[in-house]
Amino acid sequence: MKERIESLVKEISEHAYDKSEDFKLMFLSKKGKIQTLFNEFRNVAPDQKKEIGQLLNGLKEKANACYNELLMKESVSSDTCLVDDMTRNVDNRNIGAIHPLTLVRREICDIFSKIGFTVEEGPEIEDDWHLFSALNFPPEHPARDMQDTFFVEKDIALRTHTSSVQIRCLENATVPVRKLFPGRVFRNEAISARAHCMFHQVEGLYVDKNVSFKDLKQVLLYFAEELFGPETKIRLRPSFFPFTEPSAEMDITCSICGGKGCNICKGSGWVEILGCGMVDPNVLANCNIDPNVYTGYAFGMGIERIAMLKYNVNDIRLYFENDVRFLSQFKNA
Ligand code: DAH
C-alpha cells in the first residue's frame, strides 16, 4: 500500500496529464486510482492505519491541487472562461486617439515644465492694449489692420497671437516670471494647405534680474533637442518683432531629411519653428516693471507647424477636418 501511494504521488508530480478532464478521471473519480486506495484502506492493519491514512490524505490533497492548477491553465487559454476574470485586460480596440495638436501641446508644456515653466491661459477675445499697444506695436502697424485681424468691435479683436497673454501676466505678476501660454489664435487669412484662419500657439516668457540672450539660446537648444531628438541643431537669424529687442527667428535642422535638404525645407536643410527675443524695455515699462532692474526673454511658436514637422503632415487643414482616417493614425503616438 505504502509503495502504491508513493508511486501515485510521483506520477502526479510528474504532470503526466495536461487535460483536467483526463486527470480527474484517472485520479479523482469514483473509480479513479485514489478512491480505489481509499476503498482498500479498511484492509490495512490497525497499527499502520495512522501512517497510511496520513499518506492517503496527503495524496488526495496533492491530486486536488494539481487538478485546480490544470483548470486554471485551461481558463487562461480559453476566452469563454474569461468572462468573469476581473484581471483581464480591457478590450481597447475602439478607444479614440488623442488629437495630434493636443499631443504636441502637451509635449511642449512637459519639456518646459521640467525647467520650471508653469502653464497659464488668457482670453481669446482681447482689447487693443493687450494685443498691440502694450506690446509696442506702432499705431500704423499692419497687424492692426482689418485685413489681418478679426475685429469684434472697435479696439476689440480675436487675438492674433498669444503674446497678449504676456501682458496679462506681467501686469499682475510679481517677478520673476517663468511661464508658458498655450492657446488658440485667429487671423484673417485665406485657408490653404499652409495657412488657416484659426490655429494654435505656445508663448514662453521669462523675466528676472540678469536674464540674457545666452539664457534664451540655451533654453531653446534644450527644447529643440528634447522635441526633435538630440542630434537636432538650431540657428538664430536676426528678425523683427515690436515686442522684442533684439529679435530672432529660430530654425532647426530639418527633422524630415535630417538636414540634407528635401521639399519640406526647400533644399536648405533648415526649417523655421519659432520667433523669439529679449523683451523690449517698453513692454516691461508698460506693465510697471522697471526695465533698468529686470530683463527677460520671450518666444512664440505655432503648434500646427511643429506637429506638421514632427508627424510629416503636409496640409494644415487635416488638423481641423476630424477625419478619423487621419486621427486614428495617432493612436500610438
Ligand atoms: N507673436 C509672434 C507671432 O505670432 C511670435 C513671437 C515672436 C512671440 C517673438 C514671441 C516673440 O514671444 O518673442 O508671430
Side-chain angles (χ1 to χ4, degrees), residues 29-70:
S29 62
K30 278 204 174 118
K31 293 197 172 140
K33 291 181 176 179
I34 292 175
Q35 192 55 45
T36 313
L37 290 180
F38 270 94
N39 294 344
E40 289 173 23
F41 185 67
R42 59 185 130 91
N43 305 327
V44 172
D47 60 337
Q48 286 183 12
K49 272 212 154 68
K50 189 173 173 202
E51 190 194 359
I52 300 291
Q54 277 171 353
L55 286 174
L56 267 179
N57 284 331
L59 170 68
K60 191 162 182 182
E61 256 172 49
K62 198 171 170 65
N64 277 325
C66 190
Y67 176 64
N68 287 334
E69 209 176 289
L70 286 173

Side-chain angles (χ1 to χ4, degrees), residues 215-247:
D215 300 319
L216 170 63
K217 193 174 172 188
Q218 193 59 43
V219 159
L220 293 178
L221 175 63
Y222 155 79
F223 166 67
E225 287 178 346
E226 289 281 311
L227 192 64
F228 288 101
E231 66 290 345
T232 311
K233 294 188 174 47
I234 64 167
R235 76 177 181 191
L236 292 168
R237 281 179 291 100
S239 184
F240 175 80
F241 300 101
F243 36 90
T244 44
E245 182 57 34
S247 303

Side-chain angles (χ1 to χ4, degrees), residues 160-161 163 166 187 201 203-204 241 243-244 275-277 298-300:
T160 51
H161 55 185
S163 302
Q166 284 189 34
R187 286 186 198 173
Q201 289 186 331
E203 189 85 11
F241 300 101
F243 36 90
T244 44
C276 62
F299 53 86

